[in-house]
Amino acid sequence: MGHLRSLFLGLAMAVGAAAPALAQGAMRDRLVVISSTSAGTVARMIGASFAERYEGALEPTRRGLPTTAALELFCAGIGPQTPDIAITVRRMPRTMLETCQGHGVREVVEMRLGLSAVLLAVRRGEPTPNLTSRQVWEALAAERIDDEEFVPNRRAMWSDVAPSLPRTEIHVLAPNLGTGTNGLFEDMVLEGGCRDVKAIRLLFEAAYRRGKCITARDDGRIQRMGGLEVPAALLAAPPGTIGVISFDQLLASGGNLVALSLDGVLPTQASIYAQDYVATRTVYLYAKRQHTRMQEGVGVVRGIREFLNEAASEAASGPGGYLSVTGLVPLGPGERAAQRRTAERLTLISR
């Protein structure tokens, strides 16, 4: 409870500083959008396009948090000191929806924006080892397990991880920390790969377990750079180098980059859409209809419907839309049309 209170107070201070009150009953002059860390780039791009597309709209105030904390803050209550919109890579569980309702957030709109996937790739013509999430974690984690003790990870070759893997040096190009693609890689590959490690499961604190899972080595085996730079750098990298990229970047390479299978599944449009590929998540958007400012002056802020219309537009989340650079895989045509109807009508969640 203290953790949520500190988040709430921090957001209230940010909103108060960024959004002075307007005349005629308006409580804020801009939207407040929170996002899970790995959906931060999606939130930023929608916010920028929304401000550009709609006359008089200001770019929303944004804040990134871990998914659970973002949903908790969204559900903390109604009013100008609380967020209007949350964008996450996890669906709001029923228990959280009940928490929302208990705090007066009774009119929640839920939309699906698309599917987010991160993958490992090599240059065309390079060996394509069949990796597991566990092997990737064992190769890239800052620490390895030795007799149930954590020691620095000094593995130099993929064959040091498993004899069946190539005898090539571990060298990975990855997006900078804090980016959406890297966040998904941490959540779905590194944390997924260490989840069943006995020494990790024995750790009492969840935050400490996560730290052991996602803290990557910094001894030069992983080279960090802007996410958009990874494909070109991979094409020029030494043989055996593996890159962490989005599915859209794979398609944009024109066949020059080849994806590796992970846990026995090759990332394709079909396997991502079916969510058979392990490093896949649905990106969700939640909005408070109670915050919508009507012409009579009731509500908190203008622009919620317009923001949702922008997020659901073909220009954003359709095939070739600007969100594709974040690795977003579009929903099917019928599902995209359903999300546009939800945005236009502000249809409330029903489950």
Side-chain angles (χ1 to χ4, degrees):
M1 187 67 180
H3 173 66
L4 179 58
R5 186 178 293 110
S6 64
L7 290 175
F8 185 84
L9 291 174
L11 181 64
M13 291 176 64
V15 171
L22 299 180
Q24 200 177 347
M27 296 183 181
R28 271 201 266 107
D29 66 348
R30 70 181 71 205
L31 295 169
V32 174
V33 178
I34 55 173
S35 68
S36 59
T37 306
S38 52
T41 305
V42 171
R44 177 182 60 78
M45 295 186 74
I46 296 173
S49 186
F50 157 79
E52 181 179 324
R53 188 179 301 269
Y54 293 97
E55 184 177 356
L58 299 174
E59 191 162 339
T61 298
R62 290 182 295 104
R63 183 175 181 185
L65 295 167
T67 299
T68 299
L71 290 173
E72 286 177 346
L73 193 54
F74 177 83
C75 290
I78 292 293
Q81 306 303 323
T82 67
D84 308 302
I85 292 168
I87 300 176
T88 71
V89 289
R90 187 184 309 155
R91 194 179 193 194
M92 182 184 293
R94 183 179 296 275
T95 53
M96 185 64 71
L97 184 59
E98 292 170 354
T99 298
C100 264
Q101 293 168 345
H103 292 161
V105 187
R106 295 182 301 275
E107 298 182 4
V108 177
V109 179
E110 179 187 71
M111 289 171 48
R112 287 172 294 135
L113 300 184
L115 298 166
S116 185
V118 64
L119 50 92
L120 300 170
V122 296
R123 271 198 313 253
R124 183 176 57 190
E126 295 278 336
T128 54
N130 296 315
L131 295 171
T132 66
S133 298
R134 174 71 174 266
Q135 290 169 343
V136 174
W137 176 74
E138 290 185 351
L140 303 186
E143 296 177 314
R144 66 180 181 86
I145 309 299
D146 184 9
D147 196 22
E148 299 194 6
E149 295 289 332
F150 292 96
V151 299
N153 188 359
R154 304 297 186 202
R155 295 183 177 100
M157 315 290 285
W158 283 101
S159 55
D160 295 336
V161 176
S164 60
L165 296 179
R167 187 168 176 75
T168 55
E169 287 201 27
I170 298 170
H171 184 211
V172 173
L173 306 181
N176 290 325
L177 298 175
T179 60
T181 301
N182 188 72
L184 187 60
F185 180 68
E186 290 177 345
D187 289 349
M188 303 302 288
V189 181
L190 295 183
E191 192 167 6
C194 82
R195 188 173 293 124
D196 295 325
V197 177
K198 182 180 178 181
I200 297 288
R201 287 190 284 107
L202 291 175
L203 298 174
F204 181 73
E205 294 185 26
Y208 192 44
R209 288 198 299 271
R210 176 171 167 81
K212 290 293 187 183
C213 287
I214 71 171
T215 301
R217 56 199 300 180
D218 59 1
D219 56 0
R221 295 289 173 186
I222 303 174
Q223 184 180 348
R224 298 284 181 182
M225 61 189 65
L228 297 178
E229 301 170 16
V230 173
L234 184 56
L235 291 173
T241 302
I242 294 175
V244 178
I245 64 173
S246 68
F247 183 68
D248 185 71
Q249 288 174 319
L250 177 75
L251 299 180
S253 76
N256 290 313
L257 298 179
V258 178
L260 303 182
S261 66
L262 189 64
D263 297 324
V265 179
L266 190 68
T268 65
Q269 185 97 29
S271 65
I272 292 170
Y273 184 76
Q275 299 191 53
D276 292 331
Y277 179 66
V278 66
T280 300
R281 274 189 175 175
T282 303
V283 180
Y284 287 93
L285 183 152
Y286 294 95
K288 296 174 182 175
R289 194 170 74 176
Q290 288 155 285
H291 276 200
T292 302
R293 176 124 193 285
M294 307 302 181
Q295 289 184 352
E296 309 83 53
V298 178
V300 171
V301 66
R302 294 186 187 277
I304 290 179
R305 179 182 278 106
E306 290 80 3
F307 187 95
L308 269 59
N309 284 338
E310 175 61 29
S313 69
E314 290 292 280
S317 52
Y322 60 77
L323 291 179
S324 63
V325 303
T326 71
L328 197 78
V329 174
L331 302 172
E335 292 178 272
R336 296 200 306 276
Q339 304 313 304
R340 291 195 295 274
R341 288 193 297 272
T342 296
E344 181 59 35
R345 300 171 185 175
L346 295 180
T347 306
L348 299 182
I349 190 172
S350 59
R351 58 180 167 94

